Amino acid sequence: MSRARRSSRPKDRPFLHGALDGVRGRLAAGVLCHLGAALAAVTPLIAVAELARLGAAGVFDDAEVPAAEAWALVAVAAAALALRVGLTAAGLTLTHVADTTLQLRLRRDLARHLGRLPLMWFGERNSGIVKRAVADDVGALHHLVAHALPNLVTAVVTPVVSVGYLLTVDWLLTVVTLVPLALGAVAYRRAMRDVAARMGEYLAATQRLDASVVEFVQGISVVKVFGGGGRAHRRFQDGANQYAAFIANWSASVTPWMAASQILYSPPVVLLVMLVGGAALVSAGSLTFAGLAPFVVVGLGISGPALTIGYGMQDVAAGRAAAGRIERLLDTPTLPQPASPAPAPPHQDVVVEFQAVRFSYDGQHEVLHGITLTLRPGTVTAVVGPSGAGKSTLATLTARFADVTGGAVRLAGTDVRDLTSEQLYGLVGFVFQDVQLLRASLADNIRLARPDADLDAVRAAARAARIHDRIEQTPRGYDSVVGVDTTLSMGEAQRVSIARALLADTPVLVLDEATAFADPECEADIQDALSVLVAGRTVLVVAHRLATIVEADQIAVLDEGRLVECGRHAELLAAGGRYAELWRARQAPPTPALTGPGGAQGGAHA
């Protein structure tokens, strides 16, 4: 039995560490450039501090100011500034090149991996996971690689070198200068501890607010019609008030500590503490005015990077979290491809066989229990049953949207697991009720399965699908881009998808309630197009409206994942079983049905 396989990526080291392979050299070189730039940035400050020291000695101690030494300091400062500019430019170039290479590789890996995932895995929830990983999380790694690491290097090197220099001037005043920074670090850590402790509550509060907004927007028309507008407003206001109360409570615990850290890190506070301490030491005779000058020049540069370190660590944490989400997506089990694909079955008269098919989404609870069913060429088979019976699941297994957990699905005698994706989708086509058109030209949307099809073939398919005239009315005809030049109704979009299926010309066709969202005028056009589409093919229809499949060649009735009946409409009604119950419960006036071969009605539609 074929099973979805997991990623073969090595697990002996963190994902982010492995992801940096191939860019580590450029990233390291970029970080070294930023390290040199940080040293070069401190050098002019130290040079100015030494000039101030010489000047203060000349003013207060009547010492001679050596001109050569002063000019040498000026030259060093100028050279350091030029070096800083060059190293910063080189460092940013290297880290951004490393980041671009990393993003390209990660997005390629994600695209390659997503292409191997079971199609059944993709849904509303998982599509959000894909969007976040491919766009947001890869973007978060951009900030980590291109900016956060270089900024952290600068933020660490600048104060370390500054403190090292000041220790050579006067160690005691250096310790005094660091007191507000140490207290600020304690306050900042306390604030971050509160943030981390209540982050789960914050996310839950945000979700509750989002839910109340969605409920209010989606239900407002109903509640207003039935006089419940006031109650709907109150529920929305209650949700907003609860969110505001939580934020206020959270802010009350975090803001004082964060404000304290900001104040203690601020240059005016550091300068005040430094001057008070320096004045005391000067008064005590343990420090000269010349010795105080470097602290005024260099000491103020210590406080700024301190906050940068805090924010940089947050960026690193965010990058690690993003890498973790990318890793989890890349670890999602994929469908194995056959090592030795079977020969492609003939492209006509394909028999579809479900042989004792079992399926489970989670590996524990089965939704299909031993389904055995045969679909023959030139016939329409309708699958019906109550909601949750497994109809759509069975239909998608035809094209291996996921692997069965028991039994087999065969096309022309070949297990679908022994076919490549290209072979499989050359045999099976779909028309879904939820139509998806790409942001591309109408011609490209139709030729999706046959990119090499010429415009004449595209037009022929569109005419057969009853959509040619509508396309010609768009601003640029077949070159009109969906969502840019034109917008199609659901019924029109459905006919474009039918034209796509006609052009693909697959011998097996799966329809899933294709007229579900069509208005009565469009429904007749869609039914006409479907009648052309199903002719001569092996057709499987997922039907919800039983009146549309009364002339199907066979009707398979599913109930709780089991095939409980199979036959024609009249036979099943006469049997008085589950189908007869569904018919009585859903009986409705007949609607147009699909015309099968030889004039028979193959009335299923998607």
Side-chain angles (χ1 to χ4, degrees):
M1 183 186 304
S2 178
R3 296 282 186 182
R5 66 182 181 187
R6 292 189 176 273
S7 170
S8 59
R9 293 181 301 99
K11 297 295 182 182
D12 57 344
R13 58 178 179 164
F15 168 76
L16 185 57
H17 184 77
L20 293 176
D21 288 346
V23 301
R24 202 180 307 278
R26 275 169 287 188
L27 182 59
V31 170
L32 285 175
C33 286
H34 282 282
L35 173 61
L39 292 172
V42 177
T43 301
L45 293 177
I46 295 176
V48 172
E50 288 299 310
L51 282 172
R53 197 173 180 182
L54 291 175
V59 173
F60 296 103
D61 301 330
D62 295 327
E64 182 180 352
V65 179
E69 184 176 347
W71 280 111
L73 289 172
V74 172
V76 167
L81 286 174
L83 182 62
R84 180 193 178 189
V85 172
L87 288 174
T88 299
L92 286 174
T93 300
L94 287 166
T95 56
H96 276 79
V97 169
D99 162 64
T100 302
T101 304
L102 175 64
Q103 286 197 54
L104 178 62
R105 190 175 73 242
L106 282 177
R107 287 196 167 100
R108 282 177 172 172
D109 289 346
L110 286 166
R112 191 179 303 113
H113 185 78
L114 291 170
R116 295 196 297 262
L117 290 179
L119 289 177
M120 200 175 285
W121 179 86
F122 293 90
E124 183 176 349
R125 173 180 175 272
N126 288 336
S127 295
I129 292 174
V130 171
K131 182 267 178 188
R132 180 168 187 175
V134 175
D136 302 340
D137 291 335
V138 174
L141 292 183
H142 156 76
H143 194 74
L144 172 65
V145 173
H147 299 287
L149 291 178
N151 289 346
L152 268 177
V153 169
T154 301
V156 170
V157 169
T158 300
V160 166
V161 174
S162 299
V163 169
Y165 166 71
L166 293 178
L167 285 171
T168 65
V169 178
D170 189 275
W171 70 269
L172 185 56
L173 186 54
T174 302
V175 171
V176 172
T177 303
L178 294 177
V179 168
L181 302 181
L183 294 176
V186 172
Y188 183 80
R189 183 177 179 82
R190 179 67 172 77
M192 290 300 100
R193 190 174 69 186
D194 280 358
V195 169
R198 303 194 68 178
M199 183 56 69
E201 295 179 59
Y202 168 72
L203 293 175
T206 303
Q207 290 172 356
R208 287 194 299 270
L209 178 63
D210 291 344
S212 68
V213 171
V214 171
E215 179 186 11
F216 175 75
V217 173
Q218 291 182 343
I220 188 61
S221 59
V222 175
V223 296
K224 288 188 73 172
V225 167
F226 290 96
R231 291 191 299 274
H233 279 87
R234 282 195 298 273
R235 283 197 297 271
F236 169 69
Q237 289 171 350
D238 289 343
N241 289 337
Q242 291 173 7
Y243 178 79
F246 169 78
I247 294 298
N249 179 267
W250 192 20
S251 299
S253 64
V254 173
T255 301
W257 294 104
M258 185 60 75
S261 69
Q262 297 276 0
I263 292 171
L264 289 166
Y265 280 144
S266 63
V269 170
V270 174
L271 178 62
L272 177 63
V273 171
M274 183 194 310
L275 291 177
V276 170
L281 292 175
V282 170
S283 299
S286 61
L287 182 70
T288 65
F289 280 106
L292 181 59
F295 285 88
V296 176
V297 176
V298 176
L300 291 180
I302 300 175
S303 61
L307 277 177
T308 304
I309 293 174
Y311 295 137
M313 294 306 296
Q314 291 182 41
D315 291 336
V316 171
R320 290 170 63 91
R325 288 188 292 270
I326 294 172
E327 180 182 21
R328 286 191 291 275
L329 179 55
L330 289 173
D331 280 341
T332 304
T334 61
L335 283 179
Q337 293 298 307
S340 300
H347 202 75
Q348 58 185 0
D349 297 334
V350 175
V351 176
V352 178
E353 298 172 279
F354 296 93
Q355 297 179 338
V357 167
R358 296 180 176 276
F359 181 75
S360 170
Y361 286 98
D362 57 10
Q364 297 178 354
H365 305 92
E366 282 192 345
V367 295
L368 294 177
H369 310 280
I371 304 294
T372 297
L373 184 65
T374 300
L375 285 63
R376 301 201 175 278
T379 67
V380 173
T381 298
V383 180
V384 303
S387 297
K391 303 183 295 296
S392 295
T393 300
L394 182 68
T396 55
L397 291 178
T398 309
R400 203 189 176 197
F401 278 31
D403 272 343
V404 298
T405 51
V409 179
R410 298 183 183 277
L411 301 180
T414 303
D415 194 317
V416 295
R417 291 168 290 191
D418 294 329
L419 298 172
T420 65
S421 297
E422 291 76 12
Q423 291 174 324
L424 187 56
Y425 295 119
L427 294 171
V428 184
F430 278 83
V431 177
F432 298 104
Q433 69 174 21
D434 185 14
V435 183
Q436 298 293 329
L437 297 183
L438 304 181
R439 195 180 183 87
S441 70
L442 287 164
D444 286 341
N445 268 282
I446 293 173
R447 60 163 65 101
L448 192 60
R450 285 182 52 195
D452 58 342
D454 59 30
L455 189 56
D456 288 339
V458 171
R459 285 174 173 158
R463 287 191 179 94
R466 312 295 195 270
I467 193 62
H468 171 76
D469 292 341
R470 175 66 180 92
I471 293 176
E472 289 291 342
Q473 294 170 4
T474 61
R476 295 196 291 145
Y478 283 85
D479 291 328
S480 294
V481 176
V482 175
V484 177
D485 299 312
T486 187
T487 302
L488 302 182
S489 68
M490 289 297 296
E492 291 165 347
Q494 188 63 276
R495 279 178 279 162
V496 171
S497 73
I498 293 171
R500 178 190 296 164
L502 281 165
L503 188 62
D505 194 26
T506 58
V508 179
L509 185 65
V510 178
L511 307 177
D512 186 7
E513 199 68 17
T515 61
F517 301 126
D519 55 57
E521 183 178 351
C522 282
E523 182 170 5
D525 289 334
I526 293 174
Q527 290 289 2
D528 289 342
L530 288 174
S531 296
V532 175
L533 180 60
V534 302
R537 306 178 196 276
T538 305
V539 181
L540 174 63
V541 177
V542 177
H544 300 280
R545 290 185 289 174
L546 302 185
T548 64
I549 49 91
V550 295
E551 297 296 337
D553 297 287
Q554 68 173 342
I555 300 172
V557 185
L558 297 188
D559 193 9
E560 296 183 352
R562 290 179 169 82
L563 180 61
V564 295
E565 290 183 295
C566 189
R568 293 183 68 90
H569 172 72
E571 298 169 351
L572 296 175
L573 282 184
R578 189 72 175 103
Y579 180 80
E581 294 176 6
L582 293 171
W583 178 262
R584 287 193 296 268
R586 304 182 184 183
Q587 191 171 11
T591 58
L594 302 186
T595 303
Q601 295 295 311
H605 56 65

